């Protein structure tokens, strides 16, 4: 690997408490932890809980249970559900998110949208930008105006800088939801800058989000966001080739733990799903193998 960066300040584990953590989450955690150890980065546990309709305290507890069970370390962030709720919940950072949303509104960089999910899923064109709906309209989301934006430049872990256009499905993406809460793309940008994160490890399915977040950071004048290094890894897939999802099924760590599986069993199962026959008993071994298998070279597609 030819990358020149050998040390980072901080990376993060950023699970969402919308379901029980699954084996794909564990693979990402192991990769992040192994790369943090390799590059000297501190690991922050950042739990993204602004999707309040889906957040469940049981899922928050599951994050701590899973990390502790699998002996995955982190340096900063909460250690208990109470500590998370008292000090680290994204609800405590709402003022920052709202200031950024107001900045976008004041600078004319967003428009209100009243399209339903059904309309958009049926590929009906959104005409809200042309309708110039007031931003104060009830039950309206805010979308970032992405037309005419320059191509974002993403610094990759292998030392390359990738410049590519925002994929069509991310054009005019949502920054404020209809319920009034800031959307994931905005909170992720603000949080990573707030916590001084300079190294982000995430699945390749989030490549469109990486591009969107770079454009959003540019719109907000957060030029330091472009200095963050990204590592996008391949996903752990089910036998049918489908992406794993949060559930209480056979791929959730909770299910495996309660079925009597040991941490070594869980790591070996993930290795087997990756086609690895060598014995794997802990996060370090899995992470080191995964770094070799998944070098984090994101194509500009």
């Amino acid at each position: 690997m030819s990358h020149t960066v050998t040390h980072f300040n901080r990376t993060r584990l950023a699970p969402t408490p919308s379901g029980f953590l699954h084996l794909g989450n564990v693979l990402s955690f192991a990769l992040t932890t192994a790369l943090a150890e390799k590059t000297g980065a501190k690991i922050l546990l950042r739990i993204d809980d602004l999707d309040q309709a889906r957040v469940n305290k049981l899922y928050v507890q599951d994050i701590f249970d899973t990390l502790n069970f699998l002996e995955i370390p982190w340096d900063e962030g909460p250690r208990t559900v109470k500590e998370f709720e008292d000090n680290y919940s994204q609800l405590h950072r709402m003022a920052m998110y709202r200031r950024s949303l107001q900045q976008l509104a004041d600078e004319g960089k967003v428009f209100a949208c009243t399209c339903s999910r059904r309309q958009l899923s049926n590929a009906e064109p959104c005409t809200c930008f042309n309708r110039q709906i007031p931003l104060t309209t009830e039950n309206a989301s805010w979308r970032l105006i992405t037309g005419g934006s320059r191509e974002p430049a993403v610094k990759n872990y292998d030392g390359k800088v990738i410049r590519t256009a925002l994929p069509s499905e991310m054009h005019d993406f949502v920054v404020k939801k209809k319920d009034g809460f800031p959307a994931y793309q905005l909170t992720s940008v603000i949080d990573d800058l707030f916590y001084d994160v300079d190294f982000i490890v995430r699945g390749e399915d989030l490549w469109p989000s990486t591009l969107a977040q770079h454009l959003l950071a540019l719109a907000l004048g957060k030029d330091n966001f472009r200095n963050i290094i990204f590592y996008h890894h391949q996903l752990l897939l089910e036998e049918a080739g489908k992406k794993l999802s949060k559930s209480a099924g056979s791929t959730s760590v909770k299910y495996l733990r309660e079925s009597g599986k040991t941490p070594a069993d869980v790591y070996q199962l993930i290795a087997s799903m990756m086609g690895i026959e060598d014995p794997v008993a802990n996060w370090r071994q899995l992470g080191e193998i995964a770094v070799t298998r998944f070098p984090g070279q994101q194509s500009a597609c």
Side-chain angles (χ1 to χ4, degrees), residues 229-241:
I229 304 297
F230 284 81
Y231 182 111
H232 295 82
H233 62 81
Q234 294 179 32
L235 303 180
L236 196 64
L237 303 175
E238 295 180 313
E239 289 184 3

Side-chain angles (χ1 to χ4, degrees), residues 250-288:
S250 59
T251 63
S252 78
V253 179
K254 180 178 185 292
Y255 173 88
L256 295 170
R257 186 179 71 248
E258 293 178 349
S259 299
K261 300 297 184 183
T262 66
D265 293 333
V266 174
Y267 288 119
Q268 191 64 63
L269 178 57
I270 296 172
S272 298
M273 293 175 70
M274 295 170 61
I276 298 168
E277 298 180 357
D278 297 334
V280 175
N282 54 55
W283 64 262
R284 184 175 286 105
Q285 292 175 344
L286 178 62
E288 289 175 353

Side-chain angles (χ1 to χ4, degrees), residues 105-163:
D106 292 343
E107 296 176 359
K109 294 179 179 179
V110 291
F111 66 92
C113 172
T114 57
C115 291
S116 67
R117 289 191 176 186
R118 177 176 294 182
Q119 285 177 267
L120 298 175
S121 64
N122 291 334
E124 295 181 31
C126 172
T127 59
C128 293
F129 175 76
N130 295 327
R131 292 165 59 198
Q132 293 295 297
I133 304 169
L135 292 177
T136 54
T137 301
E138 289 189 11
N139 298 317
S141 62
W142 289 7
R143 293 180 176 274
L144 184 74
I145 301 171
T146 60
S149 301
R150 64 180 187 269
E151 291 184 348
V154 181
K155 292 186 177 180
N156 206 51
Y157 183 72
D158 63 3
K160 298 177 182 177
V161 176
I162 301 173
R163 297 180 185 274

Side-chain angles (χ1 to χ4, degrees), residues 50 90-106 142 175-176 179-182 186-187 190 220:
L50 269 196
Q90 288 183 308
L91 295 173
H92 296 299
R93 300 190 289 281
M94 284 294 293
M96 292 196 309
Y97 307 144
R98 286 176 174 145
R99 282 196 297 271
S100 294
L101 287 169
Q102 190 60 51
Q103 176 187 338
L104 293 173
D106 292 343
W142 289 7
V175 293
K176 181 182 178 183
D179 61 7
F181 277 80
L186 185 133
T187 61
I190 299 304
L220 289 168

